[in-house]
Amino acid sequence: MSSHHFVRDKQEAALLVANGQKCSDNLLHQLLEWNPFLLALDGAINRLDEMGLKVDAVLGDFDSTDNLQEIIAKQHPIQVIEAHSQDKTDLEKGLDYLISEGYSSVNIVWATGRRADHNLANISNIVKYRDLLNITLLDDYSRIFILPRAFKKWYVKNTLISLLPIGKVVGITSQNLMYPLNSEDLEIGVRIGSSNHVLEDGIVEITHADGHLLLMECFDLPQ
């Protein structure tokens, strides 16, 4: 069974595997190199076990995991975290667990690509937990995370970037984007900043005055 490297005092981000559409094996193995603690929601544990991957912890109510005891025996040692509350989704329970364990960052995969309502709920959790946990949502086509008031990052020319406001975001200014923003507002249902591009190799700067602004790095176009 494949394993990943050891945790160093929870300095690295955890990796949370939900139960949506599977990402490529290449992406998953890349993340395992950098995210040594692997938490699986119970809907994903069967698929991860079938892939021969070592899971550190599994969380859920386990109503749909018929062969749980067999998997636990194969995965030993593994933490089994029962979470039966119906007040939160399994993903939220997973995030709560990581916070209680002292993690400050998490990468999430298999959280998109099936039901649209689940996709929206999972994306909204990036905002819901912004003051508690740095969340990055990844699949084979995009990387989504929330922006601080001032953001700087180096990008290759023509990298596809979308700015997604959750609610209304005011006073957005950008540098080195093909379609610049100059103290402008974005709002769901009014105007969003989809399908922008990096103008030249170099630093992209994005600032905003108030609101919750998500950045989506998109990979579905040639770089």
Side-chain angles (χ1 to χ4, degrees), residues 5 8-9 24 39 75 100 107 114 122 128 143 172 174 183 190 193 223:
H5 63 260
R8 292 194 294 272
D9 298 325
S24 66
L39 170 64
Q75 289 277 339
S100 72
N107 290 319
R114 288 187 174 178
N122 293 340
K128 182 176 182 179
R143 179 193 310 266
I172 306 168
S174 69
S183 193
V190 178
Q223 298 297 309

Side-chain angles (χ1 to χ4, degrees), residues 14 22 94 134 143 186 196 221:
K22 178 183 172 183
N134 294 319
R143 179 193 310 266
L186 296 177
N196 212 326
L221 293 177

Side-chain angles (χ1 to χ4, degrees), residues 11 30 41 43 45-46 63 73 76 80 104 111 119 123 130 188-189:
Q11 294 177 358
Q30 284 182 24
L41 301 186
I45 186 66
N46 294 68
D63 290 343
H76 181 80
V80 179
S104 59
N119 294 345
I123 290 172
R130 70 171 300 167
I188 286 289

Side-chain angles (χ1 to χ4, degrees), residues 193-206:
S194 62
S195 297
N196 212 326
H197 292 75
V198 176
L199 193 59
E200 299 290 346
D201 288 357
I203 296 292
V204 169
E205 296 187 38
I206 302 169

Side-chain angles (χ1 to χ4, degrees), residues 3-64:
S3 184
H4 38 282
H5 63 260
F6 59 89
V7 181
R8 292 194 294 272
D9 298 325
K10 302 176 182 175
Q11 294 177 358
E12 298 95 338
L15 177 60
L16 192 157
V17 181
N19 194 31
Q21 183 172 318
K22 178 183 172 183
C23 66
S24 66
D25 290 353
N26 183 50
L27 174 59
L28 185 58
H29 285 288
Q30 284 182 24
L31 290 169
L32 287 170
E33 288 298 315
W34 296 102
N35 307 137
F37 183 81
L38 174 55
L39 170 64
L41 301 186
D42 66 337
I45 186 66
N46 294 68
R47 291 192 282 166
L48 290 168
D49 186 68
E50 289 172 358
M51 294 171 66
L53 291 175
K54 179 69 180 74
V55 177
D56 297 296
V58 57
L59 178 147
D61 54 24
F62 307 109
D63 290 343
S64 59

Side-chain angles (χ1 to χ4, degrees), residues 153-161 176-178 196-204 218 221-223:
K153 184 176 177 180
W154 193 96
Y155 286 98
V156 174
K157 179 180 179 178
N158 290 328
T159 298
L160 182 60
I161 285 176
N176 197 25
L177 292 182
M178 186 172 295
N196 212 326
H197 292 75
V198 176
L199 193 59
E200 299 290 346
D201 288 357
I203 296 292
V204 169
C218 304
L221 293 177
Q223 298 297 309

